[in-house]
Amino acid sequence: MKEQEFLLEKYNSFNLKDIFDCGQCFRWNIEDDGSYTGVFKRNVINVKMQNNGILFKGICEDNIIPTIIDYFDLERDYELIKSKLSKVDGNMKESIKYGQGIRILNQDLWETIISFIISANNNIPRIKGIIERLSKKYGDKIVYNGKEYYTFPTAEQLKDVSVEEFRELGLGFRDIRLYETTKMVLNKEVDIDNLHNIKDTNIVRDELLKLSGVGPKVADCILLFSTLKRFDVFPIDVWVRRVMNDLYIHKEKEQDVSKKEILKIANDKFGDLEGLAQQYLFYWRRELG
DNA sequence: ACTCAGGTATTAC
DNA sequence: GTAATACCTGAG
């Protein structure tokens, strides 16, 4: 397959660090020149900021232009979203200033499901390591610029992997969850392709919750970060609980803050953009500690 | 040795 | 329904 290029000259709300470090993805890595290289679907792409625009370059299965527009969510008006959210209050305005270049990627649903099951009670370096080993062992190899990259394995490619083999990748207690979820997806106990056709986010969430290893937080991450692209969700992890307590609730112990009260405040304040609001707040708080 | 990290599943009121 | 507890692993 030959290399393709796409130079995006006009853009806004686009910053590589903000996009790749805001916690939504695990397979993009920074290069020595400050560009990032990542694998998604069967594509290996390098993204580089230049003075004349953003250069996307790499191995792309289909035409690179629509592929990039779709994956980087380039048709959505983030400037409008940010201006709406900035009006909510000073906190939101501050967090948006910090993460002004965030875009929520349209990541493959299956990959997002597995990745966030792996993320449970885990840390980012280890999550990334597991995903790379999983891809190297069961995905397909793609060579680009003399280096080897691996596609994220499909459910079909994980069909015959045993619980023990999953554990050898360093998955820990998540081994059985990957095993069971792979089976459930393959036998269509949960028909994940059909989820895109369901309008009501709550119904989609209930479907995702049937999967092993998918609880409320992971389900909301999948809804927000995959091609399902629901913004009416508010994934609550330790950072979000912390920032919401500090800004709006002010309890002595953040562990005492209930999920319910966080969700109510989030919905009251941010409405149908609460998913985006969560991402700005999460990134802001986690980066500043 | 011990704690912690993008939670979930299981068990017991 | 809600609360308490165990859980792989590896880095600090």
Side-chain angles (χ1 to χ4, degrees):
Chain A
M1 222 172 296
K2 73 172 200 289
E3 186 178 64
Q4 296 185 57
E5 272 188 27
F6 171 33
L7 180 66
L8 180 65
E9 296 176 277
K10 282 189 60 182
Y11 62 89
N12 54 47
S13 299
F14 195 109
N15 176 280
L16 296 178
K17 180 180 162 45
D18 293 346
I19 291 170
F20 298 130
D21 281 354
C22 74
Q24 61 178 325
C25 57
F26 302 101
R27 297 206 71 197
W28 287 87
N29 297 304
I30 194 162
E31 306 280 0
D32 293 336
D33 64 356
S35 69
Y36 284 75
T37 304
V39 183
F40 62 96
K41 296 219 184 117
R42 302 188 64 78
N43 312 316
V44 179
I45 300 290
N46 176 266
V47 193
K48 187 174 186 175
M49 303 302 290
Q50 303 185 152
N51 48 29
N52 60 342
I54 309 168
L55 182 64
F56 301 88
K57 190 167 72 171
I59 304 290
C60 200
E61 194 173 30
D62 302 313
N63 186 317
I64 192 170
I65 298 175
T67 301
I68 293 298
I69 289 174
D70 174 61
Y71 184 73
F72 285 92
D73 207 27
L74 295 179
E75 289 190 331
R76 195 181 309 277
D77 189 350
Y78 282 78
E79 292 300 312
L80 177 63
I81 291 170
K82 289 190 293 185
S83 96
K84 281 184 185 168
L85 282 175
S86 289
K87 292 191 180 100
V88 173
D89 61 28
N91 298 321
M92 201 59 234
K93 192 169 180 176
E94 191 69 22
S95 73
I96 286 175
K97 206 167 132 193
Y98 184 81
Q100 62 78 216
I102 289 177
R103 274 177 183 274
I104 307 297
L105 301 168
N106 284 303
Q107 302 185 81
D108 177 74
L109 177 56
W110 163 252
E111 174 174 343
T112 309
I113 290 170
I114 297 300
S115 297
F116 279 90
I117 290 174
I118 295 170
S119 80
N121 194 222
N122 211 339
N123 60 62
I124 292 165
R126 199 157 83 97
I127 298 166
K128 292 181 78 165
I130 292 169
I131 292 175
E132 285 318 304
R133 291 194 288 280
L134 182 68
S135 301
K136 185 166 186 178
K137 186 147 189 194
Y138 302 107
D140 295 326
K141 189 200 295 185
I142 299 177
V143 177
Y144 177 54
N145 277 348
K147 287 166 83 175
E148 294 178 354
Y149 297 89
Y150 296 87
T151 61
F152 191 90
T154 62
E156 190 62 35
Q157 285 175 309
L158 298 182
K159 182 164 64 94
D160 297 319
V161 180
S162 67
V163 179
E164 291 71 24
E165 287 169 316
F166 275 128
R167 180 154 296 205
E168 284 168 15
L169 299 170
L171 272 165
F173 58 78
R174 305 163 196 81
D175 54 1
I176 184 87
R177 301 177 181 174
L178 258 68
Y179 177 85
E180 290 177 344
T181 288
T182 300
K183 292 274 176 284
M184 292 172 79
V185 168
L186 282 172
N187 69 19
K188 305 237 181 209
E189 205 168 324
V190 176
D191 184 359
I192 65 169
D193 292 326
N194 183 242
L195 298 180
H196 292 97
N197 304 322
I198 302 173
K199 201 165 180 189
D200 187 338
T201 298
N202 291 316
I203 296 177
V204 183
R205 180 187 290 105
D206 287 342
E207 282 300 303
L208 291 171
L209 287 172
K210 290 180 185 168
L211 296 170
S212 176
V214 177
K217 190 271 179 182
V218 168
D220 280 0
C221 284
I222 296 166
L223 285 161
L224 181 57
F225 298 139
S226 75
T227 46
L228 292 173
K229 258 301 154 300
R230 308 297 165 111
F231 291 157
D232 53 341
V233 302
F234 202 77
I236 298 173
D237 62 21
V238 289
W239 293 104
V240 172
R241 174 169 271 120
R242 189 166 301 157
V243 70
M244 291 297 280
N245 184 43
D246 290 352
L247 298 181
Y248 304 116
I249 303 171
H250 314 297
K251 286 200 176 167
E252 238 178 85
K253 296 182 189 169
E254 64 191 48
Q255 304 94 294
D256 292 342
V257 180
S258 76
K259 189 179 160 169
K260 203 177 242 177
E261 54 189 323
I262 293 176
L263 290 180
K264 173 159 174 42
I265 293 170
N267 196 259
D268 288 350
K269 287 186 174 293
F270 313 125
D272 59 0
L273 292 175
E274 58 181 336
L276 271 309
Q278 183 270 2
Q279 204 53 24
Y280 291 115
L281 291 170
F282 168 84
Y283 180 52
W284 180 47
R285 185 57 204 256
R286 197 196 55 182
E287 294 283 308
L288 300 182

